[in-house]
Amino acid sequence: MGMLDFWLRRGNPTNSWVREPNLQLVADLSIPSLNRVEPGQPFDALAFLGRDEDAAAARYDSFRYYSLGVEVERAAADGSLVGFSLVADEAESGYQPYAGVVTWHGSPVQLRRLQQDALQRTFGDWYWLDADDDEAIVFYEFKPYEMQIECDRSGRVTRVIVTADALMASAEQRAAYGVTRPFPF
């Protein structure tokens, strides 16, 4: 990619997108969807988000909306939506906290108040918990998607990742994380 391509963001599919005025975001984690756009649907269905806010991006498979607290991922092969992330609190990342609505089976979820010790009461039994001194990642497996919930060392949820490209579906990844149970699907 040449310098001119870099500055003009050639190849960025969001270049012509315009954010809807007074955009209200709704993430339903049980379907999952972001404003009713589900993983597997055409990426262009997210045009309501407007042009992505990461001017330094060199690849166009992940798109960051710092002011919305949202990141979306596009599949290179077919251009569909792979998944999305909601940022609850990542002070060092440059993201504002996600200010939209989050629901789980029709009930509201207070993302910014969610703690690791309440995850099982909210979402049910998790598939796997990976924890170290800095963070914990809780994995939920739902056919046909995976939800990863990142928590800081105090147990506060910092990010929720919803993806159709389940990390734990890979035997190599399960081995790397030390998973001792079989993948459910």
Side-chain angles (χ1 to χ4, degrees), residues 120-147:
Q120 289 182 307
R121 286 190 307 275
T122 304
F123 303 114
D125 292 337
W126 56 56
Y127 169 71
W128 193 253
L129 168 66
D130 181 71
D132 60 28
D133 291 338
D134 295 322
E135 71 173 354
I137 304 173
V138 178
F139 293 89
Y140 284 94
E141 304 302 329
F142 305 105
K143 198 168 191 171
Y145 70 101
E146 178 177 83
M147 185 165 59

Side-chain angles (χ1 to χ4, degrees), residues 58-93:
R59 296 181 13 207
Y60 296 118
D61 56 0
S62 183
F63 303 86
R64 293 165 184 86
Y65 294 89
Y66 298 107
S67 65
L68 299 175
V70 172
E71 186 172 337
V72 293
E73 185 179 351
R74 177 179 75 139
D78 65 2
S80 65
L81 175 65
V82 173
F84 58 89
S85 298
L86 308 176
V87 177
D89 183 17
E90 291 188 11
E92 297 174 20
S93 70

